[in-house]
Amino acid sequence: MKISSRCCILLAATASFTSAFTVQQPLTSSVNKSTGTRKSSNLFSISYEQAYANLTPAPMPVPVNGAVGAVVEPMSTKRRPIVAGNWKLNPTSKTEAMDLLNGLKAANQGAGEGDVEVVVFPPLPFLSVAVEMLKGTGIKVGAQNASSFDKGAFTGEIAPSMLASAGCSYVLLGHSERRSLFGESDSSINERMHACLKEQDLKVVLCIGETLNEYEAGLLNSVVDTQLRKGLAGVDAKDLLDGRVVVAYEPVWAIGTGLVATPEQAQAAHVAVRTTLASMYAEDPSVATSMRIQYGGSVSPDSVEDLMAMPDIDGALVGGASLVADSFTKIVAGSAPAGSVPAPAALSTNYLPSVESSAILASAPAAATPSAPLEGSVFTHAPISHFTLDQLKSKGPRKGADVGSPHDSSKPLVSVGGTSAGSWWCAEGGWPSPTPRATTEIFYVLEGRACVTSMNGTRNYFGPGDLVILPKGWNGRWDVLEDIHKIWVVTDHPDSIGDSTEAIIKPYSNFAPHFLGSNGVRADANHGAPTTASDTYFNNGYVSVGAWTCSPGSWPVSERTTTEAFMVLEGVFFLTNKDGSARRCAAGDTVVLPKGWSGQWDVIETVKKVWVDSRL
């Protein structure tokens, strides 16, 4: 059964705290066009400080038989609980670490071989002493991170093989502190996941979870879906069935704050995790039902038993409480199973969240299968890392060059109808371009500077952050003054009689909010009050180009009538396809929404983009 709307799962905090951090995105540079000098800047950096106070608790929906879809009969599946203690950057000395290990050893002798698997993650300098001191207790030792490299000139990195040879059994990957403080991405986490799984003696605890901004906007499902799909990309079902990976769901707003999701809230989040796993590994439903999923976020001896009573919670990832042997021991004891653990027999690969104030999370029957993707049913997304220079394919020297030795490289992204997008790089040099363009090209400059000269002698200089439009029919000359790298969109359209073919250059400063015309609050908003502003720089009846900004909020999209390609300059948002698959998008990303696309926009932080819209 297909569910037609999105389900907003809202977690709620009951106290206040303040968070300040900076999200770093790819660097570019700015150019003083009058002097030709260049200075480094970060057009894609987002700095923000958000204070959270007196949040109103919102109910977290839980699975209810018969609601929004067919009933899913539970299946008795025994999953051995796992409790892990993440020591983080604690304690401060080897002596203190040994005291804590002695406390754990005395209180948990043999406990790690019982009904609950127990793991501790000390800082790197204490790993060897932990392995030695915990021998015979059954408590396993893990590392808080690992490199994707096996060996080589990578100062400060630790290879998974080194950790395995030192006696480690687990590696912790993707913790929110690594993501937010050290800029670790889903793709880099996935690289390290594969490196760790190459070591047969290592298992991985993969951390996922939403920030406060994301959970307030009801994006738990989207965040979980994106982080799981990226983190587990390319991981075989066999590795998961063999227990090589444990998922730790940690709502970021609950880590170290004392705030804990209610057992019902945590249960619903864990069902969302299994839903995505069922979609990813549809060929083997037992992947979703056998996966052990821990809950993390200020777990304490007082809260653990109620959490563990939920059928889809299989243990705890413990932070501060793991630094006190008595508290950690009580959490382990509170995690012991009373019997078999019920779990859904199957979860729908057609699961599609809906935005409804009283929405209920449910699953489709085991027999359900996803619909075949329709043309225009999904969008295309590429982070800036997709277009790094080493990813581009060399095209060799440019023919007809009369200045320098320009050679170029490129990488296409997607072609939809008459619109295509990709990236291009070119070394310094110049060449004539006398043949009128057969298409309209729009590009955003990431690095370098250049000049396009029209046949009438008009010179148009541009550099990083500039938007350049070369209309169909333009001809003249290219001169690359400093190696240039750009993201491009090309549209093939009929001739536009009477329109100018002159190049158009729009500097980054033109995209500032005060230069954009306000469009007010979106009338179709279904969450928040997203307010947009925009400006159009080019419109020939077939293709239009402009800039757009939008404040936080959400709205649905039904059957786009045009194809839009855009470059994200600022902000964070989620796009959710009609089939329920979602993607977190941020500054530096390139996105193409095809004609016919339906789905949902969820803006978390004010977004700014430059866009190309094709009516063909």
Side-chain angles (χ1 to χ4, degrees), residues 534-606:
S534 62
D535 195 5
T536 300
Y537 309 127
F538 175 84
N539 187 345
N540 66 3
Y542 301 107
V543 179
S544 54
V545 182
W548 178 87
T549 184
C550 183
S551 63
S554 305
W555 63 93
V557 176
S558 179
E559 299 292 330
R560 282 190 60 93
T561 59
T562 60
T563 293
E564 181 188 9
F566 58 87
M567 174 85 174
V568 186
L569 304 183
E570 296 177 10
V572 176
F573 61 97
F574 281 83
L575 287 175
T576 304
N577 289 309
K578 189 176 181 179
D579 66 2
S581 58
R583 181 75 65 180
R584 180 183 186 273
C585 304
D589 292 356
T590 302
V591 179
V592 180
L593 300 176
K595 184 177 181 179
W597 181 78
S598 295
Q600 176 87 6
W601 273 80
D602 295 288
V603 176
I604 308 305
E605 297 163 10
T606 297

Side-chain angles (χ1 to χ4, degrees), residues 457-520:
T458 302
R459 294 181 178 179
N460 303 277
Y461 291 91
F462 50 88
D466 291 349
L467 182 69
V468 181
I469 304 168
L470 298 179
K472 182 175 183 178
W474 178 86
N475 58 348
R477 178 179 179 82
W478 266 87
D479 287 286
V480 177
L481 309 177
E482 183 178 302
D483 295 0
I484 193 167
H485 188 194
K486 69 183 185 183
I487 302 295
W488 53 261
V489 176
V490 170
T491 62
D492 188 0
H493 58 81
D495 293 341
S496 181
I497 307 300
D499 286 333
S500 172
T501 59
E502 286 297 304
I504 300 172
I505 313 294
K506 290 294 179 179
Y508 188 82
S509 58
N510 279 30
F511 314 142
H514 60 274
F515 286 127
L516 307 180
S518 176
N519 302 316

Side-chain angles (χ1 to χ4, degrees), residues 6 29 41 46 124 131 224 243 259 316 318 399 522 577 606 610:
R6 297 181 68 256
S29 56
S41 64
I46 310 164
L124 185 65
V131 169
V224 164
L259 303 177
V318 185
K399 295 180 181 179
R522 291 189 65 99
N577 289 309
T606 297
V610 288

Side-chain angles (χ1 to χ4, degrees), residues 240-450:
L240 303 186
L241 292 171
D242 289 344
R244 300 289 308 283
V245 178
V246 175
V247 173
Y249 165 71
E250 292 191 296
V252 179
W253 50 268
I255 299 175
T257 66
L259 303 177
V260 185
T262 67
E264 292 76 19
Q265 289 171 338
Q267 164 65 13
H270 284 222
V271 169
V273 172
R274 295 197 197 282
T275 300
T276 291
L277 289 171
S279 174
M280 292 176 64
Y281 298 93
E283 71 284 357
D284 194 339
S286 59
V287 170
T289 57
S290 64
M291 174 66 73
R292 292 189 293 175
I293 308 172
Q294 298 174 298
Y295 172 79
S298 300
V299 178
S300 70
D302 295 330
S303 64
V304 67
E305 288 190 19
D306 288 340
L307 288 166
M308 289 300 299
M310 296 293 105
D312 285 287
I313 298 179
D314 306 314
L317 181 58
V318 185
S322 68
L323 299 174
V324 180
D326 181 63
S327 295
F328 188 63
T329 300
K330 290 179 179 177
I331 290 173
V332 172
S335 300
S340 62
V341 183
L347 293 157
S348 170
T349 54
N350 275 337
Y351 170 70
L352 183 62
S354 66
V355 177
E356 297 174 0
S357 59
S358 58
I360 303 297
L361 181 64
S363 302
T369 56
S371 301
L374 300 175
E375 183 179 353
S377 62
V378 296
F379 60 86
T380 300
H381 164 275
I384 194 68
S385 59
H386 186 75
F387 296 124
T388 54
L389 298 187
D390 61 317
Q391 299 287 324
L392 307 186
K393 183 178 181 180
S394 175
K395 298 169 64 178
R398 285 199 67 91
K399 295 180 181 179
D402 55 9
V403 174
S405 301
H407 55 278
D408 55 357
S409 303
S410 66
K411 182 178 184 179
L413 174 63
V414 68
S415 181
V416 181
T419 300
S420 56
S423 182
W424 179 79
W425 173 90
C426 187
E428 295 179 6
W431 60 92
S433 184
T435 303
R437 285 192 59 90
T439 59
T440 293
E441 180 185 10
I442 304 94
F443 58 87
Y444 181 85
V445 184
L446 298 175
E447 292 184 293
R449 59 191 185 96

